[in-house]
Amino acid sequence: MRVPTRRGFVRNLFGGLWTGAALLQQSIFRADVARAQAQSTQGLPELFQIEKVAPGVYAAIAKPLPLLNCNAAIFEQERDLLIFDAHSRPSAVVSLVSQIRRSVSQKPVKYIVNSHFHWDHSQGNPGYRGIAPQASVISSVATRDLLSSRANKLARESVENARKQLDAHRARLDSAKTPAAKAYWKLMVDDTAAYVKEMGSYEVSLPDITFESDLLLHDKAHDIHLAWRGRGHTAGDIVIHCPQKKVVATGDLMHGFAPYIGDGYPSSWPATLRELQKFEFDHLIGGHGAVQNGKQRVIQKAAYIEELTGLVRAGKSKGQGIPDLQKSISPAELKSLKGSYGEFLMSSLGKYLLQVPGTSGESLLDGAVRGNIPEVFNRLDA
Ligand SMILES: [Zn+2]
């Protein structure tokens, strides 16, 4: 993901949870992370649902929030932990590590991996620097370059945008009529205010280990293969493969939402997904949404990006602009969305991305395709 969503659906459990999260973020912002960590064994908000995927491999599935977190994949090694992906803010990292200590393992974190440079996968890095100063952060060369050149500016813009949205959110909260709408807008106000407060002084923390295409880590528990297989969601997306456990984690190269292509390479992405299919795996932990079993969704996602890119390219070459294409291309027209992939996206967007109460699955899918058309249009030759 790149742009925080402002549409969403509040689930009841978030009421109490969120108060805790806001307090946590404030306390971390004021105090040092180490002190927060020492206090963190109880009472922290559970921002993730942790599930066992294979022996020693866990998925931390992010619960929906206005300023969303990515999922993490946790690999328990003989003496330490490797955590794939680093969320949208340092406090989310403190919360996750606290959950891991309670329910998975007390072993120290040794490696953190940034799948790509986007804010919701990398802005937690400073949290790990506080909790696990000895740990190394790993990324592709391209991702480190993008973080170095763009992350501070993007973070400052995101704080500025969040600040601007606060008054509008407060007005919506004041005029909300139903309990669901009130809960939704309260969460929007609280999360946005907490983000502004915590991230006001954010400075990027860059990876210390980088690689071009492959990096192997050998541990007594299992082997870890980090791989860059081509451009896709960004220039630098990497995946992690554990051959013994038959698991991959993929960041946003592959996840449960419609793709975000604004920094992407629509003409190369399907081929990169075909490279991903070559890894031997039974379970896929994507950057967002539920754990996927098998390779079916990878094939379907490649088909969707390919079909949409073909239609946009054909229309553009005939002189059609974005509004024309948005009129002529709808989910109903796309073969790749017929059947199970369209159904899957609707359900996943409704469940794992915060949505305005009452939003239908059809309108989510329609919005996703409408959003993808200009992204592909502008990135056809990237
Ligand atoms: Zn992303």
Side-chain angles (χ1 to χ4, degrees):
M1 296 295 289
R2 159 89 186 279
V3 182
T5 180
R6 280 164 298 289
R7 317 173 74 206
F9 185 81
V10 167
R11 271 150 197 82
N12 291 335
L13 86 143
F14 263 110
L17 226 177
W18 189 251
T19 313
L23 287 173
L24 165 72
Q25 281 157 347
Q26 289 161 20
S27 78
I28 288 165
F29 187 66
R30 284 194 300 267
D32 65 291
V33 176
R35 189 145 47 91
Q37 173 64 9
Q39 297 163 347
S40 73
T41 47
Q42 270 154 19
L44 280 191
E46 301 215 333
L47 301 180
F48 301 88
Q49 176 84 40
I50 298 185
E51 47 193 87
K52 188 172 180 177
V53 176
V57 185
Y58 301 82
I61 303 298
K63 295 178 183 176
L65 282 180
L67 290 136
L68 80 177
N69 284 306
C70 65
N71 295 336
I74 303 151
F75 293 85
E76 185 180 359
Q77 317 208 102
E78 195 197 16
R79 296 210 196 115
D80 45 55
L81 303 172
L82 179 151
I83 301 181
F84 185 86
D85 257 6
H87 318 303
S88 62
R89 34 195 144 168
S91 59
V93 162
V94 176
S95 179
L96 174 66
V97 172
S98 169
Q99 272 190 261
I100 292 172
R101 296 206 166 143
R102 286 198 298 273
S103 64
V104 176
S105 168
Q106 306 272 332
K107 292 174 186 172
V109 178
K110 185 174 183 191
Y111 297 111
I112 300 101
V113 182
N114 293 147
S115 65
H116 65 293
F117 80 98
H118 282 159
W119 67 289
D120 52 327
H121 299 256
S122 63
Q123 287 184 176
N125 282 1
Y128 281 113
R129 299 297 190 199
I131 290 171
Q134 319 303 332
S136 300
V137 180
I138 306 174
S139 79
S140 64
V141 173
T143 290
R144 192 180 191 280
D145 288 348
L146 286 161
L147 282 169
S148 169
S149 60
R150 295 184 60 186
N152 276 340
K153 183 164 176 282
L154 287 171
R156 276 193 280 277
E157 285 168 5
S158 78
V159 170
E160 222 24 69
N161 287 336
R163 211 190 300 275
K164 283 185 199 146
Q165 285 158 8
L166 256 181
D167 284 341
H169 292 345
R170 286 191 181 113
R172 298 294 296 269
L173 174 59
D174 288 344
S175 63
K177 300 272 187 293
T178 64
K182 283 192 173 89
Y184 173 80
W185 288 108
K186 177 155 183 6
L187 179 55
M188 294 299 282
V189 168
D190 290 350
D191 189 35
T192 306
Y195 183 83
V196 168
K197 189 158 191 171
E198 179 178 354
M199 298 304 289
S201 61
Y202 171 82
E203 286 292 328
V204 67
S205 176
L206 294 173
D208 354 75
I209 298 175
T210 58
F211 65 95
E212 292 281 352
S213 65
D214 297 273
L215 179 69
L216 298 167
L217 300 171
H218 301 284
D219 189 87
K220 281 194 177 146
H222 46 229
D223 297 314
I224 291 288
H225 180 182
L226 290 155
W228 180 89
R229 283 294 177 269
R231 298 188 301 184
H233 174 66
T234 67
D237 311 279
I238 55 177
V239 301
I240 188 165
H241 178 229
C242 180
Q244 291 90 353
K245 311 291 168 64
K246 294 195 165 35
V247 175
V248 289
T250 57
D252 289 355
L253 196 61
M254 185 60 220
H255 60 39
F257 301 160
Y260 171 69
I261 315 177
D263 295 314
Y265 296 82
S267 306
S268 318
W269 196 340
T272 305
L273 287 173
R274 275 181 212 110
E275 289 299 314
L276 169 64
Q277 284 171 46
K278 292 180 185 168
F279 288 102
E280 211 182 304
F281 64 88
D282 296 330
H283 308 289
L284 182 151
I285 304 167
H288 301 277
V291 175
Q292 299 170 21
N293 298 316
K295 299 182 177 178
Q296 181 193 18
R297 303 295 176 213
V298 183
I299 297 163
Q300 291 173 331
K301 182 170 185 161
Y304 168 67
I305 296 170
E306 204 150 53
E307 184 179 18
L308 187 64
T309 303
L311 290 171
V312 170
R313 189 183 297 285
K316 195 177 181 181
S317 72
K318 283 188 276 177
Q320 287 188 304
I322 290 167
D324 308 317
L325 292 164
Q326 283 173 324
K327 260 185 232 129
S328 65
I329 305 171
S330 71
E333 255 82 44
L334 292 167
K335 282 197 239 41
S336 54
L337 292 180
K338 296 241 164 71
S340 79
Y341 190 54
E343 297 285 329
F344 163 75
L345 288 179
M346 283 192 265
S347 137
S348 190
L349 285 165
K351 189 168 174 194
Y352 294 98
L353 193 59
L354 199 71
Q355 305 294 353
V356 175
T359 310
S360 72
E362 285 74 16
S363 72
L364 292 175
L365 194 59
D366 200 58
V369 172
R370 283 182 69 79
N372 279 158
I373 289 167
E375 292 165 6
V376 171
F377 190 94
N378 294 323
R379 302 282 300 174
L380 266 183
D381 300 316

